[in-house]
Amino acid sequence: MTYPIPFDNYINITLPDSYTEDVIYIRIFDLNGKVVYNEKHSVENNNLTISNLSKYSDGNYYMNLLDSHQNVIQSKHILKKSKY
């Protein structure tokens, strides 16, 4: 997975070549476990971008990537930090 560290307004995700499904679900949780983002995304060439994340507060989050059966395939700690 690639993304800006910390991220500001977007996250780029590169999935392993072994990921063959054409959709992926992305859930982002705050440190209290509250889901703040839960979306289904189309996957093209194992890459996707989540954009328009500027509305979220700076801080620590956890992101889960789930396959089409809602099984977690990857979990990551992510940090949101605005540039200004």
Side-chain angles (χ1 to χ4, degrees):
M1 178 186 327
T2 59
Y3 47 88
I5 302 174
F7 73 93
D8 181 20
N9 193 32
Y10 67 94
I11 300 172
N12 289 323
I13 299 172
T14 302
L15 299 167
D17 290 337
S18 60
Y19 190 79
T20 58
E21 297 186 36
D22 57 354
V23 297
I24 193 163
Y25 293 85
I26 300 172
R27 288 193 189 127
I28 300 176
F29 303 85
D30 65 17
L31 290 182
N32 294 319
K34 178 183 175 190
V35 176
V36 297
Y37 182 92
N38 187 21
E39 297 288 333
K40 177 181 174 181
H41 290 269
S42 296
V43 175
E44 292 183 29
N45 299 322
N46 287 30
N47 294 297
L48 62 112
T49 299
I50 305 170
S51 57
N52 198 21
L53 297 173
S54 61
K55 66 182 177 181
Y56 297 101
S57 302
D58 287 1
N60 290 285
Y61 295 88
Y62 291 97
M63 179 171 62
N64 287 345
L65 305 179
L66 302 99
D67 64 16
S68 61
H69 303 289
Q70 303 290 309
N71 297 311
V72 175
I73 58 171
Q74 195 170 60
S75 293
K76 291 286 183 184
H77 169 251
I78 56 177
L79 175 65
K80 165 93 168 68
K81 185 172 180 180
S82 299
K83 293 180 181 178
Y84 305 100

Coordinates of all heavy atoms in Angstrom, one line a residue:
M1 N 0.8 -1.2 0.0 CA 0.0 0.0 0.0 C 0.9 1.2 0.0 O 1.9 1.3 0.7 CB -0.9 0.0 1.2 CG -1.7 1.2 1.3 SD -2.7 1.4 2.8 CE -3.1 -0.2 3.3
T2 N 0.5 2.2 -0.8 CA 1.3 3.5 -0.8 C 0.3 4.6 -0.5 O -0.9 4.5 -0.9 CB 1.9 3.7 -2.2 OG1 0.9 3.7 -3.2 CG2 3.0 2.7 -2.5
Y3 N 0.8 5.6 0.2 CA -0.1 6.7 0.5 C 0.9 7.8 1.1 O 1.9 7.5 1.6 CB -1.2 6.4 1.4 CG -0.8 5.6 2.6 CD1 -0.4 6.2 3.8 CD2 -0.8 4.2 2.6 CE1 0.0 5.5 4.9 CE2 -0.5 3.5 3.7 CZ 0.0 4.1 4.8 OH 0.3 3.4 5.9
P4 N 0.5 9.0 1.0 CA 1.3 10.0 1.7 C 1.3 9.8 3.2 O 0.3 9.4 3.8 CB 0.6 11.4 1.4 CG -0.4 11.1 0.4 CD -0.7 9.6 0.4
I5 N 2.4 9.9 3.8 CA 2.5 9.7 5.3 C 3.1 11.0 5.9 O 4.2 11.3 5.6 CB 3.4 8.6 5.7 CG1 2.9 7.3 5.0 CG2 3.5 8.4 7.2 CD1 3.8 6.1 5.2
P6 N 2.4 11.8 6.7 CA 1.0 11.6 6.9 C 0.2 12.1 5.7 O 0.7 12.8 4.8 CB 0.7 12.6 8.1 CG 1.8 13.6 8.1 CD 3.0 12.9 7.4
F7 N -1.1 11.7 5.6 CA -1.9 12.1 4.5 C -2.7 13.4 4.9 O -2.8 13.8 6.0 CB -2.9 11.0 4.1 CG -4.1 10.8 5.1 CD1 -5.3 11.4 4.8 CD2 -3.9 9.9 6.1 CE1 -6.3 11.2 5.7 CE2 -5.0 9.7 7.0 CZ -6.2 10.4 6.8
D8 N -3.1 14.1 3.8 CA -3.9 15.3 4.0 C -5.2 15.2 3.4 O -6.2 15.0 4.1 CB -3.1 16.5 3.4 CG -3.9 17.9 3.6 OD1 -4.7 17.9 4.5 OD2 -3.6 18.8 2.9
N9 N -5.3 15.3 2.1 CA -6.6 15.3 1.5 C -6.9 14.0 0.7 O -8.0 13.8 0.2 CB -6.7 16.5 0.5 CG -8.1 16.7 0.0 OD1 -9.1 16.4 0.7 ND2 -8.3 17.2 -1.2
Y10 N -5.9 13.1 0.5 CA -6.2 11.9 -0.2 C -5.2 10.8 0.3 O -4.2 11.0 0.9 CB -5.9 12.1 -1.7 CG -4.5 12.4 -2.0 CD1 -3.6 11.4 -2.4 CD2 -3.9 13.7 -1.9 CE1 -2.3 11.7 -2.7 CE2 -2.6 14.0 -2.2 CZ -1.8 12.9 -2.6 OH -0.5 13.2 -2.8
I11 N -5.6 9.5 -0.1 CA -4.8 8.4 0.2 C -4.7 7.6 -1.1 O -5.8 7.3 -1.7 CB -5.4 7.5 1.3 CG1 -5.5 8.3 2.6 CG2 -4.5 6.2 1.5 CD1 -6.3 7.5 3.7
N12 N -3.5 7.2 -1.5 CA -3.3 6.3 -2.7 C -3.1 4.9 -2.2 O -2.3 4.7 -1.2 CB -2.1 6.7 -3.5 CG -2.4 8.0 -4.3 OD1 -3.5 8.3 -4.8 ND2 -1.3 8.8 -4.4
I13 N -3.8 4.0 -2.7 CA -3.7 2.6 -2.3 C -3.3 1.7 -3.5 O -3.9 1.8 -4.6 CB -5.0 2.0 -1.7 CG1 -5.4 2.9 -0.5 CG2 -4.9 0.6 -1.4 CD1 -6.7 2.5 0.1
T14 N -2.2 1.0 -3.3 CA -1.7 0.0 -4.3 C -1.9 -1.4 -3.7 O -1.2 -1.7 -2.7 CB -0.3 0.3 -4.8 OG1 -0.2 1.6 -5.3 CG2 0.2 -0.7 -5.8
L15 N -2.7 -2.2 -4.3 CA -3.0 -3.5 -3.8 C -2.0 -4.5 -4.4 O -1.4 -4.3 -5.5 CB -4.4 -3.9 -4.2 CG -5.5 -3.1 -3.6 CD1 -6.8 -3.4 -4.2 CD2 -5.6 -3.3 -2.1
P16 N -1.7 -5.6 -3.7 CA -0.8 -6.6 -4.3 C -1.3 -7.2 -5.6 O -2.5 -7.2 -5.8 CB -0.7 -7.6 -3.2 CG -1.6 -7.3 -2.1 CD -2.2 -5.9 -2.4
D17 N -0.4 -7.6 -6.4 CA -0.9 -8.2 -7.7 C -1.8 -9.4 -7.5 O -2.6 -9.8 -8.3 CB 0.3 -8.7 -8.5 CG 1.1 -7.5 -9.1 OD1 0.5 -6.4 -9.2 OD2 2.3 -7.6 -9.4
S18 N -1.7 -10.1 -6.3 CA -2.5 -11.2 -6.0 C -3.9 -10.9 -5.7 O -4.8 -11.7 -5.7 CB -1.9 -12.0 -4.8 OG -1.9 -11.1 -3.7
Y19 N -4.2 -9.6 -5.5 CA -5.6 -9.2 -5.3 C -6.3 -9.1 -6.7 O -6.0 -8.3 -7.6 CB -5.7 -7.8 -4.6 CG -7.1 -7.5 -4.2 CD1 -7.7 -8.1 -3.1 CD2 -7.9 -6.7 -5.0 CE1 -9.0 -7.8 -2.7 CE2 -9.2 -6.4 -4.6 CZ -9.7 -6.9 -3.4 OH -11.0 -6.7 -3.0
T20 N -7.3 -10.0 -6.9 CA -7.9 -10.1 -8.2 C -9.4 -9.6 -8.3 O -10.0 -9.7 -9.4 CB -7.9 -11.6 -8.7 OG1 -8.6 -12.4 -7.7 CG2 -6.4 -12.1 -8.8
E21 N -9.9 -9.2 -7.2 CA -11.3 -8.7 -7.2 C -11.4 -7.3 -7.8 O -10.4 -6.6 -7.8 CB -11.9 -8.8 -5.8 CG -11.9 -10.2 -5.3 CD -12.6 -10.3 -3.9 OE1 -13.6 -9.5 -3.7 OE2 -12.2 -11.1 -3.1
D22 N -12.6 -7.0 -8.4 CA -12.7 -5.7 -9.0 C -13.3 -4.6 -8.1 O -13.5 -3.5 -8.4 CB -13.5 -5.8 -10.3 CG -14.9 -6.3 -10.1 OD1 -15.2 -6.8 -8.9 OD2 -15.7 -6.4 -11.0
V23 N -13.6 -5.0 -6.8 CA -14.1 -4.0 -5.8 C -13.3 -4.3 -4.5 O -12.8 -5.4 -4.2 CB -15.6 -4.1 -5.6 CG1 -16.4 -3.8 -6.8 CG2 -16.0 -5.4 -5.0
I24 N -13.3 -3.2 -3.7 CA -12.7 -3.3 -2.4 C -13.5 -2.4 -1.5 O -14.0 -1.3 -1.9 CB -11.2 -3.0 -2.3 CG1 -10.6 -3.5 -1.0 CG2 -10.9 -1.6 -2.6 CD1 -9.1 -3.6 -1.1
Y25 N -13.7 -2.8 -0.2 CA -14.3 -1.9 0.8 C -13.3 -1.3 1.7 O -12.3 -2.0 2.0 CB -15.3 -2.7 1.6 CG -16.5 -3.2 0.8 CD1 -16.4 -4.4 0.1 CD2 -17.7 -2.5 0.8 CE1 -17.5 -4.9 -0.6 CE2 -18.8 -3.0 0.0 CZ -18.7 -4.2 -0.7 OH -19.8 -4.6 -1.4
I26 N -13.5 -0.1 2.0 CA -12.5 0.6 2.8 C -13.2 1.2 4.0 O -14.2 1.9 3.8 CB -11.7 1.7 2.0 CG1 -11.0 1.1 0.9 CG2 -10.8 2.5 3.0 CD1 -10.4 2.0 -0.1
R27 N -12.7 0.9 5.2 CA -13.3 1.4 6.4 C -12.2 2.2 7.2 O -11.1 1.6 7.3 CB -13.9 0.4 7.3 CG -15.2 -0.2 6.7 CD -15.9 -1.0 7.8 NE -17.0 -1.7 7.1 CZ -17.2 -3.0 7.1 NH1 -16.5 -3.8 7.8 NH2 -18.2 -3.5 6.4
I28 N -12.5 3.4 7.6 CA -11.5 4.1 8.4 C -12.2 4.4 9.8 O -13.4 4.8 9.8 CB -11.1 5.4 7.7 CG1 -10.4 5.1 6.4 CG2 -10.2 6.2 8.7 CD1 -10.1 6.3 5.6
F29 N -11.5 4.1 10.8 CA -12.0 4.2 12.2 C -11.1 5.3 12.9 O -9.9 5.4 12.7 CB -11.8 2.9 13.0 CG -12.4 1.7 12.4 CD1 -11.8 1.0 11.4 CD2 -13.7 1.3 12.8 CE1 -12.4 -0.1 10.8 CE2 -14.3 0.2 12.3 CZ -13.6 -0.5 11.3
D30 N -11.8 6.0 13.8 CA -11.0 6.9 14.7 C -10.5 6.0 15.9 O -10.7 4.8 16.0 CB -11.8 8.1 15.2 CG -13.0 7.7 16.1 OD1 -13.1 6.6 16.6 OD2 -13.9 8.6 16.3
L31 N -9.7 6.6 16.8 CA -9.1 5.9 17.9 C -10.1 5.3 18.9 O -9.8 4.4 19.7 CB -8.1 6.7 18.6 CG -6.8 7.0 17.8 CD1 -5.9 7.9 18.6 CD2 -6.2 5.7 17.3
N32 N -11.4 5.8 18.8 CA -12.4 5.3 19.7 C -13.2 4.1 19.0 O -14.1 3.6 19.6 CB -13.4 6.4 20.1 CG -12.8 7.5 20.9 OD1 -12.0 7.2 21.8 ND2 -13.1 8.7 20.6
G33 N -12.8 3.8 17.8 CA -13.4 2.7 17.1 C -14.6 3.1 16.3 O -15.3 2.2 15.7
K34 N -14.9 4.4 16.3 CA -16.1 4.8 15.5 C -15.7 4.9 14.0 O -14.7 5.4 13.6 CB -16.4 6.3 15.9 CG -17.6 6.8 15.1 CD -17.9 8.3 15.6 CE -19.0 8.9 14.7 NZ -19.1 10.3 14.9
V35 N -16.6 4.3 13.2 CA -16.3 4.3 11.7 C -16.6 5.7 11.2 O -17.7 6.2 11.4 CB -17.3 3.3 11.0 CG1 -17.1 3.3 9.5 CG2 -17.0 1.8 11.5
V36 N -15.6 6.3 10.6 CA -15.8 7.6 10.0 C -15.8 7.6 8.5 O -16.1 8.6 7.9 CB -14.6 8.6 10.5 CG1 -14.7 8.8 12.0 CG2 -13.3 8.1 10.1
Y37 N -15.4 6.5 7.9 CA -15.5 6.4 6.5 C -15.7 4.9 6.2 O -15.1 4.0 6.7 CB -14.1 6.8 5.9 CG -14.0 6.7 4.4 CD1 -14.3 7.8 3.6 CD2 -13.7 5.5 3.7 CE1 -14.3 7.8 2.2 CE2 -13.6 5.5 2.3 CZ -13.9 6.6 1.6 OH -13.9 6.6 0.2
N38 N -16.7 4.6 5.3 CA -17.1 3.3 4.9 C -17.6 3.3 3.5 O -18.7 3.6 3.3 CB -18.1 2.7 5.9 CG -18.4 1.3 5.7 OD1 -17.6 0.5 5.1 ND2 -19.5 0.8 6.2
E39 N -16.7 2.9 2.5 CA -17.1 3.0 1.1 C -16.6 1.8 0.3 O -15.6 1.2 0.6 CB -16.5 4.3 0.5 CG -17.0 5.6 1.1 CD -18.4 5.9 0.7 OE1 -18.9 5.5 -0.3 OE2 -19.1 6.6 1.5
K40 N -17.4 1.5 -0.7 CA -17.0 0.5 -1.7 C -16.3 1.2 -2.9 O -16.8 2.3 -3.3 CB -18.3 -0.2 -2.2 CG -18.1 -1.2 -3.2 CD -19.4 -1.8 -3.6 CE -19.3 -2.8 -4.8 NZ -20.6 -3.3 -5.2
H41 N -15.2 0.7 -3.3 CA -14.5 1.3 -4.4 C -14.2 0.3 -5.5 O -14.0 -0.9 -5.2 CB -13.1 1.8 -3.9 CG -13.2 3.0 -3.0 ND1 -13.2 4.3 -3.5 CD2 -13.4 3.1 -1.7 CE1 -13.3 5.1 -2.5 NE2 -13.4 4.4 -1.4
S42 N -14.2 0.8 -6.7 CA -13.8 -0.1 -7.9 C -12.3 -0.1 -7.9 O -11.6 0.9 -7.6 CB -14.3 0.5 -9.2 OG -15.7 0.5 -9.2
V43 N -11.7 -1.2 -8.3 CA -10.3 -1.4 -8.4 C -9.9 -1.5 -9.9 O -10.4 -2.3 -10.6 CB -9.8 -2.6 -7.6 CG1 -8.3 -2.8 -7.8 CG2 -10.2 -2.6 -6.2
E44 N -9.0 -0.6 -10.3 CA -8.5 -0.7 -11.7 C -6.9 -0.8 -11.6 O -6.3 0.0 -11.0 CB -8.9 0.6 -12.4 CG -10.3 0.7 -12.7 CD -10.7 1.9 -13.5 OE1 -9.9 2.3 -14.3 OE2 -11.8 2.3 -13.3
N45 N -6.4 -1.8 -12.2 CA -5.0 -2.1 -12.2 C -4.4 -2.1 -10.8 O -3.3 -1.6 -10.5 CB -4.3 -1.0 -13.0 CG -4.7 -1.1 -14.5 OD1 -5.0 -2.2 -15.0 ND2 -4.9 0.1 -15.1
N46 N -5.2 -2.6 -9.8 CA -4.8 -2.7 -8.4 C -4.4 -1.4 -7.8 O -3.6 -1.3 -6.8 CB -3.7 -3.7 -8.3 CG -4.2 -5.1 -8.4 OD1 -5.1 -5.4 -9.2 ND2 -3.6 -6.1 -7.8
N47 N -5.0 -0.3 -8.3 CA -4.7 1.0 -7.7 C -6.1 1.7 -7.5 O -7.0 1.6 -8.3 CB -3.9 1.9 -8.6 CG -2.5 1.4 -8.8 OD1 -1.8 1.3 -7.8 ND2 -2.1 1.0 -10.0
L48 N -6.1 2.5 -6.4 CA -7.3 3.4 -6.2 C -6.8 4.6 -5.3 O -5.8 4.5 -4.6 CB -8.4 2.6 -5.6 CG -8.3 2.0 -4.2 CD1 -9.1 2.7 -3.2 CD2 -8.7 0.6 -4.3
T49 N -7.6 5.6 -5.4 CA -7.4 6.8 -4.6 C -8.6 7.2 -3.8 O -9.7 7.2 -4.4 CB -6.9 8.0 -5.5 OG1 -5.7 7.6 -6.1 CG2 -6.7 9.2 -4.6
I50 N -8.5 7.4 -2.5 CA -9.6 7.9 -1.7 C -9.3 9.4 -1.6 O -8.2 9.8 -1.2 CB -9.6 7.3 -0.3 CG1 -9.6 5.8 -0.4 CG2 -10.7 7.9 0.5 CD1 -9.4 5.2 1.0
S51 N -10.2 10.3 -2.1 CA -9.9 11.7 -2.1 C -11.0 12.4 -1.2 O -11.9 11.8 -0.7 CB -9.9 12.3 -3.5 OG -11.2 12.0 -4.1
N52 N -10.9 13.7 -1.1 CA -11.8 14.5 -0.4 C -11.8 14.2 1.1 O -12.9 14.0 1.7 CB -13.2 14.6 -1.0 CG -14.0 15.7 -0.5 OD1 -13.4 16.7 0.0 ND2 -15.3 15.6 -0.6
L53 N -10.6 14.0 1.7 CA -10.5 13.6 3.1 C -10.3 14.9 4.0 O -10.0 14.7 5.2 CB -9.5 12.6 3.3 CG -9.7 11.2 2.6 CD1 -8.5 10.3 2.8 CD2 -11.0 10.6 3.2
S54 N -10.3 16.0 3.4 CA -10.0 17.3 4.2 C -11.0 17.5 5.3 O -10.7 18.2 6.2 CB -10.0 18.5 3.2 OG -11.2 18.7 2.6
K55 N -12.2 17.0 5.2 CA -13.2 17.2 6.3 C -12.9 16.5 7.6 O -13.5 16.8 8.6 CB -14.6 16.8 5.8 CG -14.8 15.3 5.6 CD -16.2 15.1 5.1 CE -16.4 13.6 4.8 NZ -17.7 13.4 4.2
Y56 N -11.9 15.6 7.6 CA -11.6 14.8 8.8 C -10.6 15.6 9.6 O -9.7 16.2 9.1 CB -11.1 13.4 8.4 CG -12.2 12.6 7.7 CD1 -12.2 12.4 6.4 CD2 -13.2 12.0 8.5 CE1 -13.2 11.7 5.7 CE2 -14.2 11.3 7.8 CZ -14.2 11.2 6.4 OH -15.2 10.5 5.8
S57 N -10.7 15.4 10.9 CA -9.7 16.1 11.8 C -8.4 15.5 11.8 O -8.2 14.3 11.5 CB -10.3 16.0 13.3 OG -11.5 16.6 13.4
D58 N -7.4 16.3 12.0 CA -6.0 15.7 12.1 C -6.0 14.7 13.3 O -6.7 14.9 14.3 CB -5.0 16.9 12.4 CG -4.7 17.8 11.2 OD1 -5.3 17.5 10.2 OD2 -3.9 18.7 11.4
G59 N -5.2 13.7 13.1 CA -5.0 12.7 14.2 C -4.8 11.3 13.6 O -4.5 11.1 12.4
N60 N -4.8 10.4 14.5 CA -4.6 9.0 14.2 C -5.8 8.2 13.8 O -6.9 8.4 14.5 CB -3.9 8.3 15.4 CG -2.5 8.8 15.6 OD1 -1.6 8.4 14.9 ND2 -2.3 9.6 16.6
Y61 N -5.7 7.4 12.8 CA -6.9 6.6 12.4 C -6.4 5.2 12.1 O -5.2 4.9 11.9 CB -7.5 7.1 11.1 CG -8.2 8.5 11.3 CD1 -7.4 9.7 11.2 CD2 -9.5 8.6 11.7 CE1 -8.0 10.9 11.4 CE2 -10.1 9.8 11.9 CZ -9.4 11.0 11.7 OH -9.9 12.2 11.9
Y62 N -7.3 4.2 11.9 CA -7.0 2.9 11.5 C -7.8 2.7 10.2 O -9.0 3.1 10.1 CB -7.3 1.8 12.5 CG -6.4 1.9 13.7 CD1 -6.7 2.6 14.8 CD2 -5.1 1.3 13.6 CE1 -5.8 2.7 15.9 CE2 -4.2 1.4 14.6 CZ -4.6 2.1 15.8 OH -3.7 2.2 16.8
M63 N -7.2 2.0 9.2 CA -7.9 1.7 8.0 C -7.9 0.3 7.7 O -6.8 -0.4 7.8 CB -7.2 2.5 6.8 CG -7.8 2.2 5.5 SD -7.2 3.3 4.1 CE -5.5 2.8 4.1
N64 N -9.1 -0.3 7.4 CA -9.2 -1.7 7.0 C -9.6 -1.8 5.6 O -10.5 -1.0 5.1 CB -10.3 -2.4 7.8 CG -9.9 -2.7 9.3 OD1 -8.7 -2.6 9.6 ND2 -10.8 -3.0 10.1
L65 N -8.9 -2.7 4.8 CA -9.3 -3.0 3.5 C -10.0 -4.3 3.5 O -9.4 -5.3 4.1 CB -8.0 -3.0 2.6 CG -7.1 -1.8 2.5 CD1 -6.0 -2.1 1.6 CD2 -7.9 -0.6 2.1
L66 N -11.1 -4.4 2.9 CA -11.9 -5.6 3.0 C -12.3 -6.1 1.6 O -12.5 -5.3 0.7 CB -13.3 -5.4 3.7 CG -13.1 -4.9 5.2 CD1 -13.3 -3.4 5.2 CD2 -14.1 -5.6 6.1
D67 N -12.3 -7.4 1.4 CA -12.6 -7.9 0.1 C -14.1 -7.9 -0.1 O -14.9 -7.4 0.7 CB -12.0 -9.3 -0.1 CG -12.6 -10.4 0.8 OD1 -13.7 -10.2 1.4 OD2 -12.0 -11.4 0.9
S68 N -14.6 -8.4 -1.2 CA -16.0 -8.4 -1.6 C -16.9 -9.2 -0.6 O -18.1 -9.0 -0.5 CB -16.3 -8.8 -3.0 OG -15.8 -10.2 -3.1
H69 N -16.3 -10.0 0.2 CA -17.0 -10.8 1.2 C -16.9 -10.2 2.6 O -17.3 -10.9 3.6 CB -16.5 -12.3 1.2 CG -16.6 -13.0 -0.1 ND1 -17.7 -13.4 -0.7 CD2 -15.6 -13.3 -1.0 CE1 -17.5 -13.9 -1.8 NE2 -16.2 -13.9 -2.1
Q70 N -16.4 -9.0 2.7 CA -16.2 -8.2 3.9 C -15.1 -8.8 4.8 O -15.2 -8.6 6.0 CB -17.5 -8.1 4.6 CG -18.6 -7.4 3.8 CD -18.4 -5.9 3.6 OE1 -18.1 -5.2 4.5 NE2 -18.4 -5.5 2.4
N71 N -14.2 -9.6 4.3 CA -13.1 -10.1 5.0 C -12.0 -9.1 5.0 O -11.6 -8.6 4.0 CB -12.6 -11.5 4.4 CG -13.6 -12.5 4.5 OD1 -14.3 -12.8 5.5 ND2 -13.8 -13.2 3.4
V72 N -11.4 -8.8 6.2 CA -10.3 -7.9 6.2 C -9.1 -8.5 5.6 O -8.6 -9.6 5.9 CB -10.0 -7.5 7.7 CG1 -8.7 -6.6 7.8 CG2 -11.1 -6.8 8.4
I73 N -8.5 -7.8 4.6 CA -7.3 -8.3 3.9 C -6.1 -7.5 4.4 O -5.0 -8.0 4.2 CB -7.5 -8.3 2.4 CG1 -7.8 -6.9 1.9 CG2 -8.5 -9.3 2.0 CD1 -7.7 -6.8 0.4
Q74 N -6.3 -6.3 4.9 CA -5.2 -5.5 5.4 C -5.7 -4.5 6.3 O -6.7 -3.9 6.1 CB -4.5 -4.9 4.2 CG -3.1 -4.3 4.5 CD -2.4 -3.9 3.2 OE1 -2.9 -3.1 2.5 NE2 -1.3 -4.6 2.9
S75 N -4.9 -4.2 7.4 CA -5.2 -3.2 8.4 C -3.9 -2.3 8.5 O -2.8 -2.8 8.5 CB -5.5 -3.8 9.7 OG -6.7 -4.5 9.7
K76 N -4.2 -1.0 8.5 CA -3.1 -0.1 8.6 C -3.4 1.1 9.6 O -4.5 1.5 9.7 CB -2.8 0.6 7.3 CG -2.2 -0.3 6.3 CD -0.8 -0.7 6.6 CE -0.2 -1.5 5.5 NZ 1.1 -2.0 5.8
H77 N -2.4 1.5 10.3 CA -2.5 2.8 11.1 C -2.1 3.9 10.1 O -1.2 3.8 9.4 CB -1.5 2.7 12.3 CG -1.3 4.0 12.9 ND1 -0.2 4.8 12.8 CD2 -2.2 4.7 13.7 CE1 -0.3 5.9 13.5 NE2 -1.5 5.9 14.1
I78 N -3.0 5.0 10.1 CA -2.7 6.1 9.3 C -2.8 7.4 10.1 O -3.4 7.4 11.1 CB -3.7 6.1 8.1 CG1 -5.2 6.1 8.5 CG2 -3.4 5.0 7.1 CD1 -6.2 6.2 7.4
L79 N -2.1 8.4 9.6 CA -2.1 9.7 10.3 C -2.5 10.8 9.4 O -2.0 10.9 8.3 CB -0.6 10.0 10.8 CG -0.4 11.3 11.4 CD1 -1.1 11.5 12.7 CD2 1.1 11.5 11.7
K80 N -3.5 11.5 9.8 CA -4.0 12.7 9.1 C -3.4 13.9 9.6 O -3.5 14.2 10.8 CB -5.6 12.8 9.2 CG -6.2 14.1 8.8 CD -6.6 14.0 7.3 CE -7.5 15.2 6.9 NZ -6.9 16.5 6.8
K81 N -2.8 14.7 8.8 CA -2.2 16.0 9.2 C -2.3 17.0 8.1 O -1.8 16.8 7.0 CB -0.7 15.8 9.6 CG -0.1 17.1 10.1 CD 1.3 16.8 10.6 CE 1.8 18.1 11.2 NZ 3.2 18.0 11.7
S82 N -3.1 18.0 8.4 CA -3.2 19.1 7.3 C -1.9 19.8 7.1 O -1.1 19.9 8.0 CB -4.3 20.1 7.8 OG -5.5 19.4 8.0
K83 N -1.8 20.3 5.9 CA -0.6 21.0 5.5 C -0.5 22.4 6.2 O 0.6 22.9 6.3 CB -0.5 21.1 4.0 CG -0.3 19.8 3.3 CD -0.2 20.0 1.8 CE -0.1 18.6 1.2 NZ 0.0 18.7 -0.3
Y84 N -1.6 22.9 6.6 CA -1.6 24.3 7.1 C -1.9 24.3 8.6 O -2.6 23.5 9.1 CB -2.6 25.1 6.4 CG -2.3 25.1 4.9 CD1 -3.0 24.3 4.0 CD2 -1.2 25.9 4.4 CE1 -2.7 24.3 2.7 CE2 -1.0 25.9 3.0 CZ -1.7 25.1 2.2 OH -1.4 25.1 0.8

